[in-house]
Amino acid sequence: MDFERFVFYVFAIILIYAAGRVITVRNPVHAALHLVLAFFTCAGLWLLLEAEFLAITLVLVYVGAVMVLFLFVVMMLDINTSPLREGFIRYLPVGLVVASLMLLEMFLVVGARNFGAQSVAIPERHGADYSNTRELGNVLYTDYVYPFEIAAVILLVAIVAAIALTMRKRPETRYQDPSRQVSVQPEDRIRIVKMPAEREQS
Amino acid sequence: MMWAELWDLIETPVWITAKIIAIIVPLMLAVAYLTFAERKIIGYMQVRIGPNRVGPRGWLQPIADTVKLLMKEVIVPTNANTFLFVIAPMLAIAPALAAWAVIPFTDKLVLADINAGLLYVLAVTSLGVYGVIIAGWATNSKYAMLGALRSAAQIVAYEIAMGFALVGVLMAGGSLNLREIVLAQQGSILHWFWLPLLPLFLVYFISGVAETNRAPFDVAEGESEIVAGFHVEYSGMAFAIFFLAEYANMILIATLTALMFAGGWLSPLEGIPVLGAIPVLGSPGIFWLLAKISFFLFFFLWFRATFPRYRYDQIMRLGWKVFIPITIVWLVVEGLAIMAGIGPWFD
């Protein structure tokens, strides 16, 4: 077993363990932390596939930003875990149907028929001067420039929509105006009053 | 015979380990003496002497502090989550050290000369926040929790501005490789990226101060409001490791600023008619990088001695409403400059 395969199996085992713990562990904070571990090991696997740009971006975006905000929210929840388990038997049939449907879909889309060793050629090894970032950039801005731009615009619309939906003007809230705060002069706030001393100092 | 085969097998790991030690040991010494420098410099700024009792002129003070912290007991609060409580300092220090893997010290002296070096640094430094968040949550204390929440929001806000500033650097350098970014600045002190990217340089450095939770952005600790924030219940070495991470991150930010905006190991005398011909000073070398790192580190200490702490909403306003628009505008300006081929940087 060469070293690369050894690394692959180590990462794969950790990934499967972490992904399993995400849905089995009781505490939501622990579940989120296991998801972080899953993302991180997944990035390790992508590095083995010579996709260093995607791997590092996964860590940067999902681990470094998205999961931080996720933890931020989850940490503030006060979840009592026992009522969550009450309807387990009642919802089990629906859950099983949904789960099996999803499994079927995944099997049809990413099954061995499409991604097996027979249908996809073994990718060639690239040299040390191969830059995944450059390759991705070349493809994104030439062949896929329109899908890329459209995806960017859709995301922008989503950002604007999210802000528009949550932003409410509240007349009773007082806002600060930093430019006015900065331009305040001492004379605007205090008045120095000269007064004669009231009695002789003895 | 057998030994020769064994040596072939372990030669690379042994060499890499030796190189890692050669980076980590000076770094740890630098961290120890940065704490000393901080106390001395801030002392002089406040017309005090600073530590001067242990060893000649106080030189052994950091060693004494380390020994004291090593001797202390690590107390785990009763209702804390023990595993996460113990692992949190490690999660804080690991990214602070791992980022040094791709830092080039000179043209040749680099542990891992990888293509996506800049991206790697950005990704690894963004992991440092987990140490703070997990410490705050696992401690099971209100103060620690508040510190963790403050830190999480602050770091996410400033990371965006920082990332945009780095986008400007990679546009100007034409590469994600830190060594090539430095080499792209060759010429003279005016060729360094601080001049064409001046707004990004300032945004990056100030975001770096915010990212390392240093004054005036140290609301995660905020000892006047939430005692000591996320590490309020930590003691002994677990406490010390948070500070090791903070100071290692300071040195890292200073190093990255030196590499990306101040020409790294290139000499500032280069390109000047007479001074550029001085034998050692006129040529590039690791001492120039170290001098620039020290220069930027001094700013960290200077800020701490000078500025009062920001209020929390002001920090958020500065990050989201000031820095991010500045970086976006300047990226557009830079893009136009590159298209127009404005020299001497973009031709």
Side-chain angles (χ1 to χ4, degrees), chain B residues 7-331:
Chain B
W7 175 245
D8 281 345
L9 199 67
I10 62 166
E11 191 181 357
T12 323
V14 165
W15 265 113
I16 291 177
T17 314
K19 286 177 187 169
I20 291 174
I21 292 170
I23 293 175
I24 297 286
V25 169
L27 178 65
M28 284 295 132
L29 276 175
V31 165
Y33 277 90
L34 181 58
T35 63
F36 179 67
E38 175 171 36
R39 294 166 72 179
K40 273 288 191 192
I41 288 169
I42 294 180
Y44 287 130
M45 284 181 180
Q46 295 168 347
V47 205
R48 305 182 275 116
I49 298 174
N52 69 338
R53 292 288 143 181
V54 191
R57 303 178 68 90
W59 280 102
L60 295 180
Q61 183 70 45
I63 312 288
D65 285 343
T66 315
V67 172
K68 181 195 79 174
L69 286 166
L70 277 172
M71 297 293 177
K72 279 193 165 182
E73 182 187 357
V74 177
I75 297 164
V76 181
T78 321
N79 281 328
N81 185 317
T82 313
F83 176 72
L84 289 180
F85 188 84
V86 172
I87 208 172
M90 302 178 202
L91 285 175
I93 187 102
L97 299 180
W100 287 89
V102 297
I103 302 288
F105 296 98
T106 67
D107 201 0
K108 305 277 184 314
L109 215 59
V110 50
L111 178 60
D113 189 15
I114 65 172
N115 285 327
L118 193 59
L119 207 59
Y120 169 84
V121 168
L122 193 61
V124 169
T125 49
S126 72
L127 299 180
V129 64
Y130 279 100
V132 175
I133 295 183
I134 291 175
W137 185 78
T139 305
N140 200 4
S141 146
K142 289 182 183 65
Y143 291 125
M145 184 73 188
L146 283 172
L149 292 180
R150 285 177 172 203
S151 176
Q154 178 186 336
I155 287 183
V156 167
Y158 279 85
E159 212 169 65
I160 297 171
M162 220 171 172
F164 274 132
L166 296 186
V167 169
V169 171
L170 75 91
M171 276 166 74
S175 171
L176 276 171
N177 184 313
L178 284 165
R179 193 174 57 84
E180 284 172 22
I181 287 173
V182 173
L183 293 179
Q185 303 176 47
Q186 213 143 28
S188 69
I189 192 166
L190 297 177
H191 285 73
W192 297 352
F193 289 157
W194 66 269
L195 189 56
L197 305 181
L198 188 62
L200 299 184
F201 167 52
L202 297 177
V203 166
Y204 179 79
F205 193 62
I206 299 171
S207 303
V209 177
E211 195 91 329
T212 47
N213 278 330
R214 291 289 300 177
F217 301 100
D218 57 345
V219 288
E221 294 167 38
E223 49 280 85
S224 55
E225 308 137 32
I226 49 172
V227 202
F230 60 93
H231 56 57
V232 61
E233 297 286 357
Y234 280 86
S235 60
M237 214 49 209
F239 170 78
I241 286 175
F242 277 118
F243 274 88
L244 275 180
E246 180 176 322
Y247 283 82
N249 271 326
M250 274 166 69
I251 302 177
L252 184 70
I253 294 287
T255 310
L256 285 172
T257 314
L259 286 173
M260 294 187 303
F261 297 101
W265 57 83
L266 301 174
S267 165
L269 303 178
E270 200 179 323
I272 302 172
V274 183
L275 291 173
I278 297 173
V280 180
L281 291 180
S283 55
I286 190 171
F287 53 93
W288 279 118
L289 181 64
L290 297 179
K292 288 166 187 170
I293 296 171
S294 313
F295 177 74
F296 287 120
L297 279 175
F298 181 74
F299 275 88
F300 276 88
L301 311 183
W302 196 4
F303 289 158
R304 183 170 168 195
T306 312
F307 296 121
R309 184 177 293 137
Y310 262 102
R311 212 173 57 206
Y312 195 72
D313 60 316
Q314 291 171 332
I315 289 186
M316 285 293 129
R317 180 181 163 274
L318 186 71
W320 288 104
K321 293 190 178 172
V322 179
F323 281 176
I324 293 176
I326 287 178
T327 50
I328 291 175
V329 167
W330 202 257
L331 284 183

